[in-house]
Amino acid sequence: MRLITFTQDTAPRPGLALSDGVGLDLAAADPSLAGGWPELFSDLDRIRRLAQRYVAEGTEFDATGEAGSIAPPLLRLSQVRLLPPVLSPSKIIAVGLNYRDHAAEQNKPLPAAPLLFSKAPSCLQAPHGPIEIPAELVRVDAEAELALVVGKRGRAIPQERAAQHIAGYMCLNDISDRAAQYADRQFFRGKSLDTGGPCGPWLVTPDELPDQALGLRITCHWNDVLMQDSSTEQLIFTPHFLISYVSSHMTLLPGDIITTGTPGGVGVFHKPPVFLAPGDVVEVAIAGIGAIRNPVVRWEPTP
Ligand code: MG
């Protein structure tokens, strides 16, 4: 299933993407499902049966949602605004240097253990929302990443049981202010820019993906330029390992995000380095999951 959070100028609502163009409004289909993700992660079996009913009843729609008869609780995804699939995680844990090709481009040896850092949960941005850059920040970079969302609480989770704790996978763009990241000699400020965590477009449940979402092509386009082009097969530490490793020190809660690191090709390691500027459009795509596409805009304080 593809789990979405959307708005029609209403409070955020949970839903499913039944195809690229057609969604199901869960609260309209069943008012007992009005709570959002991650609260509904424990109801996924019931939600799956509900979704199958709409598909099985032969509801008339085409994959794009542009034709056919679509009435509530079905909706055209082109007529709603998708939001981050989870809105308020207790934490976003990120991994530095977790792709073999990214280590190679920095001439660094493969790490013996994951380097963890955090992004402030307030950085999350919608899958098509703007990346807002204040004028004084001139070294802002993009990082295409596979992110997982925790579905079930756990502490000290053994790798063999990690799968039970993953609600799904999504794309995440780990927007990075390299100036702050390098000046501070740690990552928190540089990785926590407001709007610096676009994610989505939906959360794909693990049953629809290869084991641990490995072997998927992951790309990042800046405008029409292909900047990053790799495979999640290049991951040094896999999603199940990371669940176990992170939870050995902190309890993972439903909705928490672990973003697994970025492959080679980021702007700062280009020769010469390149950075995002207003007017750019960045697209992060992962085969089997989907794509997020975000315009870069100048942020001005409101007078
Ligand atoms: Mg990163």
Side-chain angles (χ1 to χ4, degrees):
M1 286 189 290
R2 297 192 286 187
L3 320 182
I4 59 172
T5 297
F6 69 95
T7 178
Q8 290 170 301
D9 297 321
T10 54
R13 295 169 75 88
L16 299 178
L18 300 178
S19 70
D20 286 348
V22 178
L24 176 66
D25 179 342
L26 285 175
D30 178 347
S32 75
L33 297 174
W37 318 110
E39 286 74 17
L40 294 176
F41 286 161
S42 52
D43 285 316
L44 284 182
D45 287 341
R46 187 156 65 100
I47 290 168
R48 189 182 306 277
R49 287 194 296 275
L50 183 71
Q52 280 163 351
R53 215 169 69 214
Y54 283 95
V55 176
E57 278 175 1
T59 312
E60 296 268 325
F61 59 79
D62 72 342
T64 64
E66 298 309 316
S69 59
I70 293 176
L74 295 175
L75 42 86
R76 288 190 166 85
L77 293 179
S78 60
Q79 292 173 2
V80 305
R81 193 155 55 86
L82 293 180
L83 297 172
V86 287
L87 295 167
S88 305
S90 83
K91 49 193 169 295
I92 303 173
I93 305 294
V95 188
L97 208 63
N98 195 22
Y99 274 76
R100 293 183 185 86
D101 56 359
H102 189 43
E105 79 180 344
Q106 300 174 65
N107 295 314
K108 288 189 172 167
L110 297 189
L115 171 68
L116 301 185
F117 62 92
S118 185
K119 288 172 78 73
S122 50
C123 78
L124 289 181
Q125 175 59 305
H128 303 110
I131 296 164
E132 302 171 348
I133 303 184
E136 68 274 19
L137 303 190
V138 294
R139 287 166 59 83
V140 176
D141 205 348
E143 299 188 348
E145 307 205 357
L146 168 73
L148 67 87
V149 173
V150 173
K152 192 173 98 177
R153 180 190 181 96
R155 180 176 178 185
I157 301 161
Q159 266 194 79
E160 313 82 72
R161 290 217 300 270
Q164 302 166 22
H165 292 263
I166 299 176
Y169 293 92
M170 63 181 178
C171 305
L172 190 143
N173 190 341
D174 180 16
I175 293 293
S176 308
D177 173 18
R178 302 297 183 199
Q181 181 185 339
Y182 297 147
D184 295 0
R185 305 183 66 177
Q186 51 102 325
F187 293 0
F188 188 59
R189 184 171 64 117
K191 296 286 193 171
S192 294
L193 190 65
D194 279 2
T195 72
C199 62
W202 32 60
L203 201 53
V204 180
T205 52
D207 56 294
E208 300 203 353
L209 295 169
D211 179 49
Q212 302 189 63
L214 298 179
L216 303 177
R217 186 181 184 201
I218 178 167
T219 57
C220 188
H221 279 88
W222 294 22
N223 308 313
D224 292 328
V225 180
L226 180 60
M227 294 283 286
Q228 297 181 276
D229 187 2
S230 186
S231 164
T232 56
E233 205 60 44
Q234 291 272 322
L235 279 169
I236 300 165
F237 303 106
T238 67
H240 289 182
F241 180 90
L242 291 170
I243 288 267
S244 180
Y245 187 80
V246 174
S247 70
S248 68
H249 279 69
M250 63 196 93
T251 298
L252 288 171
L253 300 176
D256 283 353
I257 296 172
I258 298 178
T259 188
T260 60
T262 201
V266 297
V268 71
F269 295 125
H270 274 240
K271 292 181 178 56
V274 287
F275 299 103
L276 296 174
D280 289 342
V281 176
V282 195
E283 183 185 272
V284 172
I286 302 176
I289 296 182
I292 57 175
R293 192 174 164 83
N294 305 89
V296 178
V297 303
R298 168 79 62 235
W299 182 79
E300 309 275 3
T302 29

